Each structure stands twice: as structure tokens, then as C-alpha cells.
Amino acid sequence: MDGYPAHYVSHNLPLVILFGLGSTDPKPRDSIEEQYPLLQEKGIYISSDLPSVSGSAGQELLDCFHDFDAKDAAWNNRPGKGKMGAMGFTYRSVGRAFTLPPHKAKPPSAFLSPTTEEGGLRRPSLAPVLHSPLSPLSPESPLYPDGIMSSVWFSKHQWLLPSAIVSFFNFSNDPNSSTLQDNKLKSEINALRTSITTSSYKLRLIVVLVCEDGGADPNPIERVANIRRATSMDSKSLFYVPSRLSIIETQAFVGTILASIQPSCLEYYRDLSKHARRKRNRATVPPPTVPPIYGTSQTLSGQGWTVRYETKLGFFAEFRQEMDAASRNYETAYESLLDRDVFESIASWSPRFGETRLLADVLAIRILRCLLWTGQTTSAVQSWSNHRASMQDLVDRKGKGSGTYGWEAWEARWSAIMAELIDKVDVPIFHVPDQTVPSETPSLEVPDIYAIPEKAFSSDERLPPWDLLHHEGYWLRRSTQKTKARRKLALSMPKEDRSSPGQSPASHIASKSHLYDTYLCPEPHKEYGLPGHTSFDHGALLIKTFSKAAGQFTKRHQHRAAERMEFEMAREYMRAGRWEEAMGLIKPLWQNLSWRREGWWKLVEEMSWAVRACARHLGDGEVLVTVEWELLSNSLTPRSSWQYDILKCLDGLDIEEKPIATVPYDSTAPSLSAVFTFRATEGRVGEPMQAQLTIHSHLHANSAAIRLSELAITFEGGLPGLTVVDNSRQRAPLNISIGSTFVYHITFDEAPEELDTTSPPSSMFDKTKSLFGAADLVFSPGTDKVFFFTIVPRDAGEVVASRVCLSMREEQFDLNVIVPLRDHVSRVSWWLQGETGLLREKLDLEHPCSISILPKPPKMQITFPGLRKAYYTDEIVEIQVEVTNEEVEDTDVGVVVQLIGNAQIVPVIHWISTSYPESSNKADNDPVAAGTITPEHSLGRLHSSATRSKTLMFQASSETAEYTLELKAHYHLVSDPHTSIVKAETKELIFIRPLDSNFEFRSHVHSDPWPNYFHVGEVDDGRTVPKSTGIIQEWSVTAKLASFALEPLLIQGIRLNVQEIRHGASCQVVTSEDRSQRAIVLDPNGSIDRDFKLIVQDSTLEDRHSSILRLELEVLWKLRTDSANAVTTFMPLPHLTIPFGEPRVLASVQKQTTLAPLVYILYTLENPSMHLLTFQLSMDSSEDFAFSGPKIVTVQLLPLSRHTVRYSLLPARKGSWIRPNLKVVDIGFGKTLKVSAADGCKGDKLGLAIWVDKE
């Protein structure tokens, strides 16, 4: 908002005077005090003789008040820096004296009598009506007699007339002088209150007593209370500040003061509004102090007074932040100002016309601020447009017209004002987060570039886009357009109109004043002066505005618009002859231009020529060569008078060092383009594959031909680089050509000795790793050159042609153009030679620049003769491997074996030689330590069609598993040792259990008598020798073996082994020798049974612990068809617990044949304990049998004894199971004993069962 008085357009903030804080030096008078009429003659002077509060405490307080100064805060109602909540204040430090503006002007001298009375005072003859010094009714006012408003009135309330005064005084800690100091404070405070009261201004007075550094007063609270009573001030008007407060405490104290004065400040401006409203409601024009009597002057009309009062009401409402009310008052004032009785009645030649136009701009600015404050963005834009249209209509009708540079200057300023208002109000929708501040969750949203209409507009209403509020960059860009139009009009002024007033006749000056509008802009001779005279710097204004606009566009990711602004800024630098600054700005912009990617070639062309101009003036050879390369492209519009020859671009320049330019393809318009494609998508190592490179010339038709020194193709993968050097000077014949298309078949080889393979500094790759070929590399406008070549890959893998480097090595410069090869081309062409010439075949390749190099197909055959479908656990596995060479040449072969499985333990693999005569059937000493991969085992040289056999051996684990046997044969042809070929073969190996087993434990009654508890052994040599060591129990184990093998097994032996017996007992396994050692053939899914007897004896009679027996079944077997060694498989049995210390009941059937069908069942009760046990036996009746024997009986057993109870059973049916149920209860312990099945019985979940034969 440059050009307008600062207080005319600035935001209204309540003014607070800081009286007696800071430096004691008198404050110099500022420009506002100089402009205010009668301020020194009739102003209300307020001062104090006491010293100001200075030092560290005073400075901290002053700094805290300045921190709360909201003059630089955003113009909105949101809390922010410098605000006390949502409301802000501004502060003015005045020392110990300041002057309040006078209420009334002094009486005019015409109303004073010519006589002088005693004392030299003149008594007025009449009583004139006095008004404010700024009123249009006072002769001293700059508005007298028909002015409306002056910026001085705005400055009065913003800088001279406060809403509150905060007075600071030192508070002494000296107890000897405290009473005297307190009395002085009382006098000064009362005098200050009296001065403010007599001034008739309703100002709020706040007194702050700042404790001095030094000693401590024992009763400061009592002294402060005494001062309050003497000055009639309460606790919210007089404050005490202790010494040595921290920064936080000081800030809190200042916040308390501001919170206390905020209500009174609002009330102060509310009273001013009431006063102005009462004046407006009188509806009469006040009489002037002196009526105007000269010329055609007249007093301000009633409509003008309405403008004045409404402006004041809006102004005071702004202080209270009542922006809705302020907006209504300003709009009323604006409409009244443009009324026929106000603006239309002012002559265009009158100075009042410019003042009124200035007031209209100020009212429009304040209306815009109120609308943006309240979020009415679309209304603000419409208000901006309405004011522009109103001013244009007014200027066209009454002014100099809108075709002058003055109008364009106003248009540029009006657009810039809108951008500044948006920035100062900080419209929330345009807020852009600070990108320099790191954030844990960076936002990916693009900031908005325009605001949606407010709710006052219907959603169905279609508004034009220029009625929507756009961000600052939009308005700044519009401002630059108007500034450029202003400069154009200024430059079109004739020379006679640009002369200074002192050099032109008066008649010409008078006529010139009617031609040019100089509102807020220089006169014609200053706008565009004659040579040797100063002129307005339009370029500096444009550069400043372009820079701001570019920043706004960049923040909102509008990069193309930002580039346009930066380009225009560089143009202004070039126009001013500041070539280095222009180059520093335009060079990075040109290198990363988005217009080039979008195909906006007209703009690219403008920028390229601008870059060339900068490079020529600065002698930058590298940039000049690069931009000349781009200007050769026919994508840009050719200049008919320009000679397009890159070899002459440096003519006329004195460049010491040879330029070396490296040009990325995407950073310039294409002069040459390259398309690469492979013939197929797959190839094999050692086999030739075809590729094609097409170079198309995009040169202008009138351009000179380009000769490349070389072109180099770079691959990613296993292919070396390819370099094609120019042989055009040797005039080698073409392979074929038709029209403008030339075809070359190139043979590549290693670099010849005469070729320099050392890469120059400008080279982009290492030539020592490249293959070389030759062709004609001269390109004329519109020509295509197709290069065919054949490549033989040596390594397998994925190969991608990544880029082509086009190089020119000239005496004046070196140029490298890096062309990336596009791998995502929808359709590519393959040139073919047909009967009628060249043909183009369409290749349907998804990735034409990529090819997959497969390994050379191996012709080595790997077989596994005799491989079984399944192998068995614990087996020694031997696998025969045969390798057959089906290559046409001899090979050197090595094999690597890997066994991959999911088992925790992987077997260790060994090789057994069966083919070499010098080898024996012994395992080689080359197993790998981990047992998974063997090192490469050499098979030596293998002749064509020869076969070599090897045998693998390993011990299978005891657990079932699945393995993958992978065998790789690494070999190479004797004639080509550099190409390694791999043949891999995998087989699945499944290991299953050959046998499974079920086990059944049964207890029996041992036939030997138990030890006698009352028997003592014989005495020998004075020592007692026991005849037995413990109780003996007999058990039986029945093992049932089932075959899971896929083929018959030969079971050579079965044995039961005792692995462990705890607590010192002994166990003897009794086996039937003829059955356990006899070999048996076990067919698949077949089964066999084996019975074993266990005789278990406790260690001593005193040992009452149960013994735990761990057994293992050992089976010796082999395949029936296998002559190799037998395999031993161990099968663990469940743990068997032998209860030596617990009583038990055993049931057995006694065989008899004479009294059939009677069944005799014997119940044997055992008491292995050292206690006398009493058992109660009861036999349950059953419908299945009748029994003979005691129904209920009580049996007492001595320690270490057993007793047998016999029952005779008569079954009801033969050929069935009967279930006698005998309940045995230990009476002493109340425990029911379980009856265990022994000989002739079986036990299950239902109890004891006996089978009754049919016969």
C-alpha cells in the first residue's frame, strides 16, 4: 500500500502511552506531530519531574511491552504473536513528557478587537463558534472550507491520542527516605490524574511502581496500600513490581496490565462512536468559525458530513474489532462519497478531487480488510472490482481518462494492495505451512489457489472465476501486467511532454496538465525523463513484484506460473543490462524447464534466445554451445535471417579455455533423437543377437549438417559398451539407402591399436571396456540413420540399453548429448531390406530396450539310475549318478551336490568312486562340514558322448524327512574356457519309517515264594546272610511290528534291550531263542508279534520306591533284494513303572478239563509293605455267570506276604466274554484296589474279561 499515508490505511489498534519508561532523553518531534495544527500552541502538555524508570528492570518491561505490540501481527481475530488473546495493542514510549491534541482551534484574529487591555490581552468582540483544528469548519484546518477527511485525523487517534496511559515510577527501598519518596509519588500521581481529568479526555490511567534494585523494604505492601488510599486508586489501577523478576514473571505481569485496561479501552472507543453518532443524527451542517468569502468556496455539504461521520464510526468500530459494523459504516460512507452532491460536484482540476479520490481508495481498502477479516472472500473480490469500475468510470468522465500511464499505475497499485491485504489478513485457506521447519508428518496436500464462495452465495449460483478470491500471486501477476502497460504508455510520450517545467513554456505546461493523470505517480518529466535526467525505475518495481509473485506460485506448487514470473524477472535484468544477475536466474530455470516437458515450444523458444543473449554478453562458451544445440531443433520456430550452424556459435568471442558442454537430453529441445530396440526379448549366452539404433535428425531445414565424432551406447548388465566412430571423411560406401534413410551394418571389435582409447575429460564412460565400430555420422536436416549390429553376450542376466551419448569433438568446443533410451514405447519399428527397398516391420515389444540373456542351453545329461521312490530311516543310502557329455566337444566337468530338507539334521554326503579304476569302494574324504553342500567334485575331462558314473552315499537320519537332491554340473568347452555352462538336476528323496510297533504290558504272578518276614538267615562267622535281596515281579511285553515299507523286508533279528532302570532294581529279559533269532520275510503292510518276559527284582526289602523301566526294541533288517549290510532300527517303548511298595491284586485263570465248562479264577493279593493290611473282598452277581466262592470276605495280610482267593465260575453262554467284578477295598486306608489281568485274562476300560470257549 505504498503511496498512501501510513495511518490512512493501517490497521487500527488501541494506543497505549508508556509514560516514564525507558530513556530519560527527550523524544524528538515526529512528522505526525509536525503536521498536526496547533499541537504545540494549544496542545495539552503533560509532564513529570521524577526520573524515568530505566536500568535492567525498565528495559525488561519495555521489551515485554514491545513483544505484545500487535502492529506487525496478522489482521485477523485469531490469537497470534503480539496479541493479548484475540485483541492487540500498540505502544508508544514518550519519556516524561507528551502532548495531547487540543480540542478546539484558536479563535481567528478577525474576531479580536483592535484595542489591547491591561496585561496585553485582547478581548474578543464576538463569540465565534470554535471547532476541532482538523474540522473543515476551522480556518487552520487543511480541510477548510470544503474538505472531507484528512490523514492527519487518522494519525491523531493512532499515534497522538491514546486510550490508556501507563505511568511508571521508581519505588525506593531506602527506609530512611521512603516516607519522602512516597509523598513525592503521591503528589506526582495526583498531578497526573488532574492533568488527564482537565484535558476532558476519558483516558484510563495505570500507575506501575517499579521496585529499585538494592536493599529490601520490610513492608512494601503497606506502603503501596498507603499510596493507593492517598491517590484514590484501586488494585487494578496501581501495580507494584518487585525487583529481580524473571522474564516469565515479567511477561505475566505485563499480561495482567493489558487484561485490566482492555475493557476500558473498548469503552473509550465506544464513547467516541456515540459522540460521532449523535453529531450525525443532528442532520444539520454546523456553522463554520469563519464563513468562506473568497472565490467560489463553499462549506462542506450535508452529504459530505455524512461521509465524514460514517467514516469516523467505521474507524472507531475497527478499534473495537467490530468488523461487521465497521464494514457497514465504511460502505455507507463510500456510497455517499460517490454521490452526485459530493464527488460529482468537485472539479477535476481542484486539489480536492485528488483528496476525495484518495479518500475513496482508503474507504475501499478498509472495506476490503473488513470483508476479508470476516471471511467474506467473494464479496471482497466483488467490492474490489466495483471500486475499480467506479474509479475508471469517474476518471473517464471527469479526469484525464483511463488511457494514461497514471491510470495504469493506479491499476498496478490497486492489484498489489489486494495481494498485500490477503497477506496481512492471513486468509486461512491460503495458509502454507513453513517448509523449512521439520515435521514428523509432512503434509502431502497441495495448498488451495482460490477460496470457495461464502455461505451468502447460493451453491447453485455459478460465479465467474474472477469473482473468486485467488492467492497473492494472482494479484501480483496482474500488477506486473499493469506496470508493463504503464511503462509502455510512458515510453510513448513525445519528447516535448517529457521536459521539466523549467524548460517548457507555461502554455505547454498548462496543456500537458490536461493530458496526463499524475494521481499517486510522478509527473511526465519524472516518469520518463529526457536523456541525462532521472526517471522512474519501472524495471526495479517489476523485478520486486515478479519475485514476490514467483514465491507465491512456488509455495502452491504452480511451477509453470512461477517459471514464467522468474523468466519475466530475468528479462527485466537483461533490459537493465544486469547480465550476470539475469544469467544467474535464467540458467537453472532454463535447464529444468517444465515448459519443455509439456511441449510449450513457443515459450521455450523465447527463453532459449534470452539465454543465448546472456551467454554472448558474458562469454559463457559452455552455455552458448548448449543453447545453440537446442536452437537447432525444428520444434522451435526458425528465424529466416538466422544462420543455424553450431560450429560458428563461438565466433567473435575470446574464450581462453576450450568449452566442454554436457547436455542431458531432457534439458533441451531435441535436435537428434535416438530409438534403440533389440530384435527379440530373449537371447542366450554365446549366441548372436540382433539390435538396431535409429538416429533421427530434427534440424531446421536451413541448418548446416552436424558431424558427430562418435556415438556410444551404454548397457546395464553383462554387455560391454558399444562405440561407433565417424568415418565420413573416408567416404565408406553405404550398405543401403532410400530417400532420407540410411542403413549401416556395423561390425564391432576391440579397439584397434591406432585408436586412442584413453577417454578425454568430456567422455562419459570408460572406452577400455567398449567395443568399437565405424559409420558415417554426418546428419543433415530430416535424415534418418539406422545402425544394425550383432552382439554375442558372454554373461547371463538382464541387459538394458540405458543411454546413447552423442559426442562432437571440434577444435572450438566439445559437446556430449546424453540421450536416455525409452524402454516404454508402445510400438517400435524394425527396418528390413525388401525386394523394393527398405521396409518397416512393427515389433510388439513391451520393453524394446531390454533383453533377457539366458544361460547357454546345457547338453550335459545327468541321470540317477536305480533311484527308488522312497528310502527308509537309519538306512545307508547309495545313489548312483551318471553324467553324459552330449556336447560336440570335450568338456571339463565338476559337480556340486546340495541336499535341501526340512529336517534339523541334514545327512553328510560322501562320494564313492565306481568308475575310476584307481578308486575303490571307499568314501572320499571330501564331505562338507555342514553336511548340506559338497564342494565341487571334479570329474575331469569328459570326451564327447562319454559317460562317467559316481555314487553318493549318506546315512539317513532316524526321523522321517523329505529332501531335495540338487546336483549341478559346472562345465566349459575346452575350446571356450571363458564361458561357463551349468546343468542342474533335482530329485525328491522321501524317507519313511520301514517299521512301526505297538506294545502291550501285562503283569503276572511270579512262581517263586516271597521272602519270609519272620525268617532269619543262617549265621556264618558271626554275620547274618539274607537269602533274598528284594521282591520279584514278573511282567510280559508283547511287541507287534507292522511294515510300512514299499517292498518286502527281511527281519533278521528282534531283541528287547533294557536302557535304564531306576532306584537300583534289576531286570532280566527272557526271550524265546528260536523265534527271536530266526529270519522272517515281512511283506508290505504285514505284521509279526514277539513276546518277551521281564523278571524284575527290587534291590532290598527296605526300598519302598517304585522303579521306572526304560526299554528299547532293536530290530535288525534289510531289503530282501539288497545284498548290502543289514540296518538296525531302534524303537523306544513307553516307560514301565514297577510298583514295589504298593499292594496289588492279580487275576489269573486256572486251566482245567475235567469239570468243563467251569472256569476257575484265582485272585492273588500281594502286600509288599511292612504293615499289616486288611482287605474286604466282595464279588458282584451277574446274569452272564454263576460263581462259587465267598460273596464277601475279609482277608488280613502280614507284611511281605501274599494270599490267593479262588472262585469257580459257571458261564451262562459259551463262546463269549464274561466279566467277573471283584471289589477289593483296603479297609485301613479306604482305598479300592484295581484288579490287574494276568494269565488267561484281559483288561480294558470296562474291567476284567475272560473268554469262554465253545467246547
Side-chain angles (χ1 to χ4, degrees):
M1 286 175 276
D2 298 336
Y4 297 93
H7 291 95
Y8 224 166
V9 294
S10 61
H11 178 43
N12 297 344
L13 294 169
L15 176 64
V16 177
I17 291 292
L18 302 179
F19 185 69
L21 183 63
S23 176
T24 57
D25 298 334
K27 302 291 182 179
R29 297 177 62 189
D30 53 27
S31 59
I32 299 176
E33 294 176 330
E34 295 288 346
Q35 295 176 6
Y36 197 89
L38 303 177
L39 181 63
Q40 301 302 320
E41 295 86 345
K42 294 198 63 178
I44 303 170
Y45 185 74
I46 298 177
S47 63
S48 175
D49 296 334
L50 294 181
S52 298
V53 177
S54 57
S56 60
Q59 189 62 41
E60 287 180 3
L61 283 171
L62 185 61
D63 292 342
C64 287
F65 275 104
H66 287 165
D67 291 340
F68 282 103
D69 197 333
K71 61 182 178 181
D72 296 327
W75 294 352
N76 52 48
N77 58 353
R78 300 189 299 273
K81 181 180 180 182
K83 293 183 179 181
M84 182 62 191
M87 186 174 183
F89 295 88
T90 186
Y91 309 96
R92 180 186 174 195
S93 181
V94 298
R96 275 304 183 195
F98 69 99
T99 303
L100 294 175
H103 286 279
K104 303 293 183 181
K106 65 181 180 180
S109 58
F111 284 83
L112 298 177
S113 62
T115 59
T116 303
E117 297 183 353
E118 296 180 0
L121 298 177
R122 292 186 293 182
R123 182 172 299 173
S125 59
L126 297 175
V129 180
L130 300 181
H131 300 278
S132 169
L134 297 179
S135 173
L137 304 174
S138 298
E140 293 85 357
S141 172
L143 301 177
Y144 182 79
D146 53 356
I148 301 177
M149 291 296 293
S150 171
S151 62
V152 180
W153 185 88
F154 289 80
S155 302
K156 166 188 173 182
H157 289 277
Q158 290 181 345
W159 190 249
L160 297 178
L161 188 58
S163 60
I165 300 175
V166 182
S167 181
F168 296 84
F169 296 98
N170 289 312
F171 190 77
S172 176
N173 283 330
D174 188 3
N176 299 323
S177 60
S178 60
T179 303
L180 178 61
Q181 295 295 331
D182 291 352
N183 292 333
K184 290 183 179 181
L185 288 176
K186 296 174 186 177
S187 301
E188 288 295 332
I189 294 173
N190 288 326
L192 183 60
R193 291 189 61 191
T194 301
S195 299
I196 295 175
T197 302
T198 56
S199 69
S200 299
Y201 288 115
K202 299 179 180 180
L203 307 181
R204 173 72 183 276
L205 176 63
I206 300 293
V207 176
V208 179
L209 304 180
V210 182
C211 183
E212 295 178 347
D213 296 335
D217 193 342
N219 53 354
I221 304 300
E222 183 179 349
R223 291 175 55 193
V224 171
N226 187 19
I227 295 175
R228 284 182 180 143
R229 288 192 298 270
T231 56
S232 300
M233 303 188 77
D234 56 12
S235 59
K236 293 184 179 181
S237 300
L238 191 147
F239 295 89
Y240 169 73
V241 182
S243 60
R244 299 177 182 178
L245 289 181
S246 64
I247 297 297
I248 303 299
E249 292 173 333
T250 305
Q251 291 177 348
F253 173 74
V254 172
T256 303
I257 293 179
L258 298 180
S260 65
I261 66 176
Q262 181 173 339
S264 60
C265 291
L266 295 178
E267 189 63 29
Y268 169 75
Y269 291 109
R270 192 171 286 112
D271 290 342
L272 292 178
S273 296
K274 293 178 181 178
H275 180 69
R277 192 176 294 109
R278 284 195 298 268
K279 284 187 173 183
R280 182 198 62 181
N281 294 338
R282 291 174 185 171
T284 59
V285 178
T289 302
V290 178
I293 57 176
Y294 53 87
T296 59
S297 299
Q298 58 184 1
T299 58
L300 186 62
S301 64
Q303 197 71 9
W305 282 100
T306 300
V307 174
R308 183 176 173 86
Y309 290 138
E310 292 292 343
T311 302
K312 289 183 178 181
L313 288 174
F315 186 76
F316 295 139
E318 271 196 89
F319 277 109
R320 304 190 303 272
Q321 293 191 4
E322 298 175 2
M323 292 303 178
D324 289 332
S327 177
R328 291 192 297 269
N329 293 126
Y330 285 140
E331 288 175 355
T332 303
Y334 181 82
E335 293 172 359
S336 301
L337 182 65
L338 297 184
D339 190 79
R340 182 180 301 273
D341 294 338
V342 183
F343 218 145
E344 297 290 342
S345 63
I346 302 175
S348 62
W349 50 264
S350 173
R352 298 297 185 200
F353 186 84
E355 293 177 4
T356 308
R357 186 177 174 185
L358 186 66
L359 177 60
D361 288 350
V362 171
L363 290 175
I365 291 173
R366 290 184 174 270
I367 290 172
L368 290 177
R369 180 167 59 219
C370 293
L371 292 175
L372 292 177
W373 182 296
T374 56
Q376 303 179 63
T377 55
T378 302
S379 299
V381 176
Q382 293 179 346
S383 177
W384 181 92
S385 301
N386 293 337
H387 178 66
R388 174 185 170 277
S390 300
M391 290 299 101
Q392 185 175 13
D393 176 69
L394 184 67
V395 169
D396 287 338
R397 288 188 297 103
K398 299 197 63 176
K400 310 302 189 313
S402 57
T404 64
Y405 73 86
W407 171 254
E408 298 295 342
W410 182 87
E411 281 255 53
R413 179 177 288 107
W414 188 232
S415 298
I417 284 173
M418 190 62 166
E420 188 174 352
L421 284 172
I422 295 174
D423 178 65
K424 289 185 176 294
V425 174
D426 191 18
V427 180
I429 197 171
F430 295 143
H431 179 70
V432 179
D434 190 359
Q435 301 296 332
T436 60
V437 178
S439 176
E440 296 182 359
T441 56
S443 177
L444 301 179
E445 297 182 1
V446 178
D448 292 308
I449 60 175
Y450 67 91
I452 60 176
E454 56 267 24
K455 294 181 179 179
F457 294 89
S458 173
S459 58
D460 299 333
E461 183 179 0
R462 295 182 62 87
L463 296 173
W466 49 83
D467 276 358
L468 303 179
L469 182 65
H470 291 69
H471 65 84
E472 301 98 300
Y474 167 84
W475 302 99
L476 292 171
R477 179 177 177 272
R478 188 181 186 281
S479 177
T480 59
Q481 294 173 346
K482 297 302 178 180
T483 302
K484 291 170 70 174
R486 168 188 177 181
R487 180 173 61 185
K488 183 178 180 180
L489 292 173
L491 295 180
S492 64
M493 288 189 299
K495 184 176 181 181
E496 56 272 13
D497 290 349
R498 293 156 44 205
S499 58
S500 60
Q503 299 176 353
S504 302
S507 60
H508 183 71
I509 295 175
S511 63
K512 184 170 61 174
S513 64
H514 293 281
L515 295 177
Y516 301 103
D517 185 3
T518 58
Y519 173 69
L520 297 181
C521 64
E523 297 288 339
H525 67 280
K526 294 182 180 179
E527 178 74 15
Y528 181 43
L530 295 174
H533 294 75
T534 59
S535 302
F536 181 78
D537 194 350
H538 302 90
L541 177 59
L542 284 171
I543 289 173
K544 179 181 177 181
T545 311
F546 279 131
S547 178
K548 292 180 180 179
Q552 294 296 332
F553 284 119
T554 302
K555 287 194 299 184
R556 290 165 178 82
H557 307 292
Q558 295 178 276
H559 299 296
R560 290 190 288 267
E563 290 173 354
R564 183 67 184 182
M565 297 296 101
E566 293 177 357
F567 177 43
E568 295 294 340
M569 186 165 34
R571 277 183 165 179
E572 295 301 325
Y573 281 128
M574 295 168 60
R575 186 186 185 95
R578 299 159 64 178
W579 298 102
E580 292 184 358
E581 293 170 300
M583 177 61 87
L585 183 63
I586 201 173
K587 180 179 177 181
L589 182 64
W590 171 70
Q591 291 174 341
N592 304 286
L593 199 59
S594 64
W595 303 342
R596 188 179 295 110
R597 296 189 296 271
E598 302 293 340
W600 297 358
W601 300 116
K602 187 64 178 178
L603 296 176
V604 174
E605 179 184 349
E606 294 180 14
M607 183 168 290
S608 298
W609 284 107
V611 172
R612 187 189 183 281
C614 291
R616 286 293 294 186
H617 280 86
L618 298 177
D620 192 336
E622 180 181 348
V623 176
L624 189 58
V625 171
T626 304
V627 73
E628 283 284 351
W629 175 265
E630 180 171 44
L631 291 174
L632 293 175
S633 174
N634 58 11
S635 299
L636 311 182
T637 305
R639 295 185 177 183
S640 57
S641 60
W642 189 259
Q643 182 180 5
Y644 290 92
D645 190 353
I646 194 172
L647 298 179
K648 298 180 179 180
C649 66
L650 299 181
D651 292 352
L653 295 180
D654 185 14
I655 300 177
E656 298 179 358
E657 188 176 353
K658 181 180 179 181
I660 299 175
T662 300
V663 184
Y665 183 77
D666 293 336
S667 65
T668 58
S671 297
L672 295 178
S673 62
V675 177
F676 183 91
T677 179
F678 289 103
R679 187 70 173 87
T681 59
E682 291 184 352
R684 292 188 179 275
V685 174
E687 297 180 0
M689 59 183 184
Q690 294 180 339
Q692 181 187 97
L693 175 66
T694 304
I695 305 293
H696 178 69
S697 172
H698 299 274
L699 302 176
H700 289 297
N702 58 344
S703 174
I706 293 178
R707 187 186 70 85
L708 298 179
S709 302
E710 63 184 30
L711 62 86
I713 308 173
T714 304
F715 297 94
E716 296 178 1
L719 285 182
L722 303 179
T723 302
V724 181
V725 297
D726 177 56
N727 64 353
S728 60
R729 296 176 180 175
Q730 301 176 8
R731 304 197 174 199
L734 296 174
N735 296 87
I736 189 173
S737 66
I738 179 171
S740 59
T741 304
F742 303 87
V743 178
Y744 300 88
H745 290 271
I746 303 175
T747 302
F748 289 96
D749 203 348
E750 295 183 356
E753 296 181 358
E754 62 273 11
L755 182 65
D756 183 14
T757 59
T758 58
S759 301
S762 59
S763 180
M764 303 303 297
F765 61 95
D766 186 6
K767 287 185 177 181
T768 59
K769 300 179 180 179
S770 179
L771 300 178
F772 288 82
D776 184 358
L777 299 182
V778 176
F779 295 89
S780 301
T783 60
D784 289 331
K785 292 198 173 184
V786 183
F787 303 96
F788 286 93
F789 41 85
T790 301
I791 312 172
V792 180
R794 296 299 180 187
D795 298 319
E798 196 73 20
V799 175
V800 179
S802 59
R803 65 182 183 178
V804 175
C805 179
L806 310 177
S807 301
M808 296 181 65
R809 305 282 182 264
E810 301 296 337
E811 182 180 354
Q812 303 92 338
F813 61 86
D814 286 350
L815 174 64
N816 297 307
V817 181
I818 310 302
V819 183
L821 297 175
R822 309 297 183 186
D823 198 27
H824 299 279
V825 182
S826 57
R827 297 294 295 272
V828 294
S829 299
W830 184 270
W831 291 87
L832 297 173
Q833 182 176 355
E835 296 179 356
T836 59
L838 291 176
L839 302 176
R840 299 178 68 175
E841 177 188 356
K842 296 294 184 180
L843 297 181
D844 190 10
L845 300 178
E846 185 177 359
H847 302 287
C849 296
S850 303
I851 189 170
S852 179
I853 306 300
L854 302 178
K856 185 175 181 179
K859 297 181 180 179
M860 192 74 62
Q861 296 299 325
I862 302 175
T863 59
F864 301 89
L867 189 68
R868 303 207 309 256
K869 294 182 179 180
Y871 291 87
Y872 307 110
T873 58
D874 300 318
E875 182 182 5
I876 298 177
V877 180
E878 294 184 2
I879 300 176
Q880 185 178 0
V881 179
E882 288 186 356
V883 180
T884 304
N885 180 17
E886 296 184 358
E887 299 279 357
V888 296
E889 303 179 30
D890 294 351
T891 58
D892 287 333
V893 186
V895 292
V896 176
V897 180
Q898 182 177 4
L899 196 60
I900 306 171
N902 54 5
Q904 296 182 354
I905 301 177
V906 181
V908 179
I909 304 174
H910 300 270
W911 285 101
I912 299 178
S913 300
T914 59
S915 178
Y916 289 145
E918 65 272 12
S919 300
S920 61
N921 289 339
K922 293 184 178 180
D924 295 346
N925 294 322
D926 57 353
V928 73
T932 57
I933 306 175
T934 65
E936 183 170 308
H937 184 77
S938 177
L939 299 183
R941 179 163 296 182
L942 196 60
H943 300 292
S944 178
S945 301
T947 300
R948 190 153 295 166
S949 178
K950 293 285 289 184
T951 301
L952 290 172
M953 183 187 73
F954 59 89
Q955 173 73 46
S957 65
S958 300
E959 302 293 334
T960 60
E962 293 184 5
Y963 297 103
T964 299
L965 179 65
E966 182 182 66
L967 191 142
K968 293 182 179 180
H970 298 264
Y971 71 97
H972 61 265
L973 301 179
V974 176
S975 61
D976 188 6
H978 299 292
T979 302
S980 178
I981 307 173
V982 179
K983 170 66 175 180
E985 192 72 29
T986 59
K987 294 294 181 181
E988 298 295 329
L989 302 181
I990 301 176
F991 289 84
I992 63 176
R993 296 184 185 275
L995 299 170
D996 196 9
S997 61
N998 290 326
F999 302 96
E1000 181 181 0
F1001 296 97
R1002 295 173 63 88
S1003 57
H1004 300 273
V1005 179
H1006 195 272
S1007 59
D1008 293 345
W1010 278 26
N1012 193 339
Y1013 181 75
F1014 301 98
H1015 177 74
V1016 179
E1018 297 179 356
V1019 178
D1020 186 9
D1021 298 332
R1023 293 177 299 176
T1024 302
V1025 178
K1027 292 184 178 181
S1028 60
T1029 60
I1031 295 176
I1032 301 176
Q1033 291 187 9
E1034 179 180 339
W1035 293 78
S1036 65
V1037 179
T1038 301
K1040 183 176 182 180
L1041 295 180
S1043 174
F1044 288 173
L1046 305 179
E1047 47 202 322
L1049 301 179
L1050 184 61
I1051 307 299
Q1052 296 181 341
I1054 302 175
R1055 187 170 61 181
L1056 184 65
N1057 300 326
V1058 178
Q1059 295 295 108
E1060 180 185 5
I1061 183 169
R1062 300 178 185 176
H1063 302 110
S1066 62
C1067 178
Q1068 179 184 0
V1069 179
V1070 180
T1071 307
S1072 177
E1073 295 294 337
D1074 55 345
R1075 295 188 61 192
S1076 61
Q1077 301 300 326
R1078 187 173 65 239
I1080 300 175
V1081 176
L1082 183 60
D1083 295 326
N1085 297 325
S1087 63
I1088 58 175
D1089 295 339
R1090 287 292 185 270
D1091 295 326
F1092 302 92
K1093 183 183 295 185
L1094 301 178
I1095 307 300
V1096 184
Q1097 185 173 14
D1098 199 2
S1099 58
T1100 62
L1101 293 176
E1102 290 79 9
D1103 189 2
R1104 309 260 59 88
H1105 295 93
S1106 298
S1107 294
I1108 298 177
L1109 192 62
R1110 189 164 66 88
L1111 304 173
E1112 184 180 61
L1113 191 66
E1114 179 182 348
V1115 181
L1116 186 65
W1117 63 273
K1118 70 175 183 178
L1119 297 177
R1120 186 176 181 184
T1121 59
D1122 194 356
S1123 61
N1125 297 330
V1127 180
T1128 301
T1129 299
F1130 297 93
M1131 300 180 184
L1133 276 70
H1135 293 183
L1136 176 61
T1137 302
I1138 309 297
F1140 285 115
E1142 297 293 332
R1144 63 176 183 166
V1145 179
L1146 302 178
S1148 59
V1149 176
Q1150 184 178 6
K1151 299 293 184 180
Q1152 61 85 26
T1153 58
T1154 59
L1155 298 177
L1158 287 179
V1159 177
Y1160 298 111
I1161 182 170
L1162 304 178
Y1163 291 96
T1164 303
L1165 282 71
E1166 295 181 348
N1167 179 16
S1169 67
M1170 293 295 181
H1171 307 282
L1172 176 65
L1173 299 181
T1174 303
F1175 299 97
Q1176 182 179 0
L1177 282 67
S1178 61
M1179 174 65 76
D1180 293 341
S1181 300
S1182 176
E1183 296 179 354
D1184 297 331
F1185 63 91
F1187 69 90
S1188 174
K1191 174 67 176 179
I1192 299 175
V1193 66
T1194 300
V1195 178
Q1196 290 185 341
L1197 291 182
L1198 295 175
L1200 298 178
S1201 65
R1202 59 185 177 181
H1203 177 74
T1204 300
V1205 179
R1206 176 177 172 178
Y1207 286 87
S1208 298
L1209 305 181
L1210 178 62
R1213 293 183 303 275
K1214 296 182 179 180
S1216 64
W1217 293 93
I1218 60 174
R1219 294 183 177 274
N1221 184 18
L1222 179 68
K1223 293 183 180 180
V1224 181
V1225 179
D1226 186 345
I1227 297 176
F1229 292 95
K1231 179 180 179 182
T1232 300
L1233 274 64
K1234 178 182 178 182
V1235 178
S1236 299
D1239 299 334
C1241 305
K1242 78 169 186 177
D1244 54 20
K1245 295 181 179 179
L1246 298 179
L1248 188 68
I1250 300 173
W1251 177 255
V1252 179
D1253 295 332
K1254 292 183 178 181
E1255 296 180 358

